[in-house]
Amino acid sequence: MIRTTIFAALTASLALSLAAAPAQAGEVLDRVLAAKNLKVATDANWAPQSFVNDNNEMDGFDIDVAKEIGKHLGVSVEFVTPGWDIITAGKWQGRWDMHVGSMTPTKARAALFDFPAVYYYTPAAVAVHKDSKAEKLADLEGKRVGVTATSTFEAYANQDLTLDAAGAPAFTYEFKPGEVKSYANSTTAFDDLRLGDGTRLDAVVSSLPSILDAEKAGYPIKQLGKPVFFEPLAVAVEHGDAELSAKIAEAVKAMQADGTLSKLSVKWYGVDYTVTQ
């Protein structure tokens, strides 16, 4: 009877210890290493960060960064492309292990995610149709502006942006839209903007690399004014696996030290965005 009582007490104590332990402590990394496969969530339609190329393969800066992280972990990389709103909502439930898709590490997002490493900084800018009469950003006051839903671009357009990540330069609001229209991605917003000045949109707030890439693709748009803000962009994982976060941080640090990140940035953007501008 005494032994049974002691055993029961030890069992209860162990159960309480396990309950107090962080959820998924090492579990994601263990699963990735066992399967030798890292599932990475990203965007399929956001060139030059990530897109499907002519060979029907994922390509772009974020894709190359994710592959390099996979190499450091000694695993293959598999890409999945859920919507941005689904990614940022959290509760991934093992559908993917890591997000490499230019996410800004804000305090609000830190409630759901760990950000093991910032891997580059990108300017956000405003695009207008080539026929736009706007000469400066202030001319967009009261206009219709397109943005990606649940993005920092949407927050900027709504004048509700907080860049509280380390290394984020200060910014000011250059105009207040009369209407903010949210889209699944920047490309869809550019599709509406290309229809004509004021036809559906007067402007789009997006990343400068995406605006320049759309111009190269033949979209009749142009950048208006200077970048409106610069944002640090990070790899994101869900809370609960400190070991995975540490491995990702090590990988990105190594890529910074050996120049890999800088080379990839110049490859895709023609500019080294891996340092604060």
Side-chain angles (χ1 to χ4, degrees):
M1 180 65 76
I2 294 176
R3 288 179 181 178
T4 303
T5 302
I6 294 174
F7 177 78
L10 289 173
T11 301
S13 177
L14 178 60
L16 288 172
S17 298
L18 290 173
Q24 295 184 325
E27 180 182 333
V28 180
L29 180 60
D30 287 346
R31 184 179 70 237
V32 168
L33 296 178
K36 294 191 178 300
N37 183 64
L38 177 67
K39 290 186 179 180
V40 179
T42 193
D43 196 319
N45 195 27
W46 197 34
Q49 286 79 221
S50 52
F51 60 97
V52 178
N53 63 24
D54 293 339
N55 295 322
N56 201 35
E57 298 172 338
M58 292 298 297
D59 210 348
F61 176 69
D62 284 339
I63 302 305
D64 282 351
V65 170
K67 288 179 178 178
E68 287 294 328
I69 293 174
K71 286 181 184 178
H72 280 271
L73 294 178
V75 299
S76 62
V77 176
E78 176 185 348
F79 294 99
V80 295
T81 56
W84 175 256
D85 55 339
I86 295 174
I87 294 170
T88 55
K91 297 181 180 179
W92 295 350
Q93 298 179 324
R95 290 171 292 174
W96 51 87
D97 311 306
M98 177 176 76
H99 174 253
V100 182
S102 304
M103 186 184 292
T104 306
T106 63
K107 285 183 179 178
R109 288 173 177 162
L112 297 173
F113 307 111
D114 290 331
F115 299 103
V118 169
Y119 61 105
Y120 80 118
Y121 303 81
T122 191
V126 178
V128 295
H129 194 275
K130 283 189 174 181
D131 295 335
S132 174
K133 296 179 177 60
E135 297 180 352
K136 55 186 183 300
L137 291 168
D139 293 336
L140 297 176
E141 189 78 16
K143 300 294 186 178
R144 286 179 295 177
V145 176
V147 294
T148 301
T150 70
S151 69
T152 49
F153 312 126
E154 182 182 63
Y156 180 86
N158 286 319
Q159 298 198 344
D160 189 32
L161 175 62
T162 301
L163 288 180
D164 41 31
F171 66 93
T172 58
Y173 296 110
E174 301 294 336
F175 61 94
K176 185 174 183 178
E179 180 184 357
V180 177
K181 297 184 68 174
S182 299
Y183 295 80
N185 51 60
S186 291
T187 301
T188 310
F190 292 146
D191 285 339
D192 271 4
L193 183 61
R194 75 187 300 179
L195 297 177
D197 181 34
T199 300
R200 289 186 179 174
L201 291 175
D202 298 292
V204 171
V205 182
S206 185
S207 73
L208 179 56
S210 293
I211 293 171
L212 297 177
D213 195 71
E215 285 187 69
K216 291 178 183 177
Y219 280 64
I221 65 175
K222 61 182 179 181
Q223 178 187 352
L224 180 66
K226 296 181 179 180
V228 290
F229 64 89
F230 288 82
E231 54 182 335
L233 299 165
V235 178
V237 295
E238 284 195 301
H239 290 321
D241 196 329
E243 294 177 11
L244 175 63
S245 290
K247 288 293 184 181
I248 293 170
E250 288 175 11
V252 173
K253 185 175 181 180
M255 292 160 63
Q256 291 168 333
D258 65 15
T260 298
L261 273 179
S262 294
K263 290 177 183 177
L264 290 178
S265 180
V266 172
K267 169 187 174 182
W268 287 105
Y269 303 125
V271 177
D272 186 2
Y273 285 138
T274 67
V275 294
T276 306
Q277 301 296 307

